[in-house]
Amino acid sequence: MEAAARVIARRGVRGLRVEELAAEAGVSTALIYYHFKDRAGILRRTLEFISDRAERYTSERETPARPLDPRRELEQTLLLELQDEPVVRENSTAWGELRANAVFDPELREDLAKATLIWVQETAELLGQVSPMSPAASLAASAERLTALLEGLSMRWLSGILPLTHARTLLLEAVAVELERLDRK
Amino acid sequence: MEAAARVIARRGVRGLRVEELAAEAGVSTALIYYHFKDRAGILRRTLEFISDRAERYTSERETPARPLDPRRELEQTLLLELQDEPVVRENSTAWGELRANAVFDPELREDLAKATLIWVQETAELLGQVSPMSPAASLAASAERLTALLEGLSMRWLSGILPLTHARTLLLEAVAVELERLDRK
DNA sequence: TCTCACTGACTGAAAATTCAGTCAAGAGAT
DNA sequence: ATCTCTTGACTGAATTTTCAGTCAGTGAGA
């Protein structure tokens, strides 16, 4: 699965060749078919693996030295996706691929929609901790904007047209902008 | 080129078959190779074509019945990308493919970067007309956020996880949020 | 001896790319 | 006007390449 994540990060979902995956994992192609039904099966399981891994490492923020203040926690959670660590890059790339492929492949949409919804809800919850007086609808809208923005920035970063530090700055400002609005209402 | 844009919008960059393109254009596959070096050449030229065309039709807004007020003009320009018209859908889809592929294909990045820069600058200019007192740097940052957000929303719309009307609402609110901030500074 | 994880060599189909021409139209020359 | 000659656009039919997927085994350990 790790090899698959690496290959997808390097070539994209549609660029994944079973032979290349086998080479990356240091095994024969036949063994891949021993463990997976077919190429689609490889993809399905890999994307599951990646989203599990993403959840896991998103939750790792749960264990900082002492409870962070909510604003910082929100910021950290969002910025987690904008880091130049191999695992993060892999995950972001894979997510971007998943989204891009869902445009043409309805089969992928369900997983994508579910994962996105969860992410938006988590973000809305964090926003609610920072700005407890805000109505749920406003929190949800802010969360949708922030997560969609993050996806846009992430894509620009990964395609090399936006430096990482700049992406992070823009995101933090967006958080500030949204919070100011929430607090003012 | 138009046929290629349509096929890409329908199948994606990786899904483009030379034979299908030929059929779409109503010519033989051999003719495609008469005009283009190879499949990669088709892709390169088509993506150039798409980004040129995008620039052109964004500028067409210059001719409304009477000059719109700047705020409306900004909103209309941004909302232009979020419409359920075949041409818009085609362009947004192809554009999304271009971005997604640039992650794996450095050859595509130059065009992408140039087109993105132009778009951000145009948006910054429109923002400047709405909020003339704001410093250029703030305008640029807001423009980057709004355009990146639009890309994120567009992707969600195209992959069917966000209804169009909701995407439009979120975008308009984002414009409001950014403008409030600019005016308050 | 049996099973499990594994492999090298292969197949078939789909897709890309090339080849060997045809055809229509324009440019001189007669 | 008609007759070559040339050229660019175009095609049908191969040929070549690329891949997913299969198969007949092998060796290690229970």
Side-chain angles (χ1 to χ4, degrees):
Chain A
M1 302 305 351
E2 280 163 15
R6 283 196 299 275
V7 175
I8 288 180
R10 191 178 332 129
R11 307 277 182 214
V13 165
R14 281 182 266 190
L16 179 138
R17 298 281 106 86
V18 179
E19 224 176 281
E20 185 177 358
L21 165 57
E24 179 78 28
V27 299
S28 63
T29 60
L31 184 63
I32 304 290
Y33 285 94
Y34 178 77
H35 287 290
F36 302 91
K37 187 179 171 297
D38 55 14
R39 187 177 176 281
I42 301 170
L43 257 29
R44 193 161 26 77
R45 298 262 304 266
T46 306
L47 294 171
E48 261 170 44
F49 169 78
I50 288 170
S51 62
D52 286 0
R53 192 171 64 170
E55 268 173 49
R56 208 177 326 125
Y57 88 141
T58 315
S59 329
E60 265 160 32
R61 69 177 147 67
E62 312 268 6
T63 356
R66 56 187 182 292
L68 245 40
D69 80 284
R71 168 86 180 253
R72 294 275 166 281
E73 194 179 340
L74 171 65
E75 291 177 348
Q76 289 310 311
T77 305
L78 292 172
L79 285 177
L80 222 50
E81 309 288 321
L82 293 175
Q83 291 183 90
D84 205 356
E85 303 280 327
V87 192
V88 174
R89 233 196 144 91
E90 261 175 40
N91 265 329
S92 295
T93 308
W95 271 115
E97 276 292 282
L98 182 55
R99 285 194 299 271
N101 278 287
V103 175
F104 305 103
D105 181 357
E107 218 179 286
L108 297 175
R109 290 182 190 178
E110 200 186 332
D111 280 344
L112 182 63
K114 201 163 32 151
T116 305
L117 183 63
I118 291 174
W119 188 32
V120 172
Q121 283 173 346
E122 279 178 9
T123 306
E125 210 173 299
L126 288 171
L127 278 165
Q129 285 171 27
V130 186
S131 176
M133 311 299 281
S134 302
S138 302
L139 293 172
S142 285
E144 283 187 282
R145 279 194 295 275
L146 286 174
T147 52
L149 171 65
L150 179 42
E151 286 173 5
L153 291 173
S154 172
M155 178 109 287
R156 286 192 187 175
W157 161 48
L158 291 170
S159 57
I161 65 178
L162 182 68
L164 190 58
T165 54
H166 193 183
R168 294 171 64 95
T169 307
L170 288 171
L171 183 63
L172 286 178
E173 285 174 8
V175 171
V177 178
E178 291 285 349
L179 283 176
E180 279 169 29
R181 176 193 174 88
L182 284 173
D183 288 339
R184 207 143 21 72
K185 285 257 165 147
Chain B
M1 304 302 354
E2 281 163 15
R6 283 196 299 276
V7 176
I8 288 180
R10 189 176 336 128
R11 309 276 181 213
V13 166
R14 293 256 184 197
L16 178 139
R17 301 280 162 259
V18 179
E19 211 177 334
E20 184 177 358
L21 165 56
E24 179 78 28
V27 299
S28 63
T29 60
L31 183 64
I32 305 291
Y33 285 92
Y34 176 78
H35 287 291
F36 303 92
K37 188 181 169 296
D38 55 14
R39 189 177 173 282
I42 302 170
L43 258 29
R44 193 162 24 76
R45 299 262 304 267
T46 306
L47 296 171
E48 261 171 43
F49 169 79
I50 289 168
S51 60
D52 286 0
R53 191 173 64 171
E55 273 171 46
R56 211 175 327 123
Y57 94 146
T58 317
S59 326
E60 266 163 29
R61 70 177 148 67
E62 311 269 5
T63 355
R66 54 187 181 292
L68 245 41
D69 81 282
R71 168 87 180 251
R72 294 277 166 280
E73 193 179 341
L74 170 66
E75 291 177 347
Q76 290 310 310
T77 304
L78 292 172
L79 286 177
L80 219 51
E81 309 288 321
L82 292 176
Q83 290 183 91
D84 205 355
E85 304 279 328
V87 194
V88 174
R89 225 195 153 93
E90 187 188 302
N91 236 35
S92 294
T93 308
W95 194 246
E97 277 291 288
L98 175 55
R99 285 195 301 269
N101 278 277
V103 174
F104 307 104
D105 182 355
E107 220 181 283
L108 298 176
R109 290 183 190 179
E110 200 186 333
D111 280 342
L112 181 64
K114 198 167 35 150
T116 305
L117 182 63
I118 291 174
W119 188 32
V120 171
Q121 283 173 347
E122 280 178 8
T123 306
E125 211 172 298
L126 289 171
L127 278 166
Q129 285 170 27
V130 185
S131 176
M133 312 300 281
S134 302
S138 301
L139 293 173
S142 284
E144 282 187 283
R145 279 194 295 274
L146 286 174
T147 52
L149 171 65
L150 177 42
E151 286 173 5
L153 292 174
S154 172
M155 178 107 287
R156 285 193 187 176
W157 162 47
L158 292 169
S159 57
I161 65 179
L162 183 67
L164 190 57
T165 54
H166 193 183
R168 294 171 65 95
T169 307
L170 288 171
L171 183 62
L172 286 178
E173 284 175 8
V175 171
V177 178
E178 290 286 349
L179 283 176
E180 280 169 28
R181 175 191 174 90
L182 284 173
D183 288 338
R184 206 144 20 74
K185 285 259 164 144

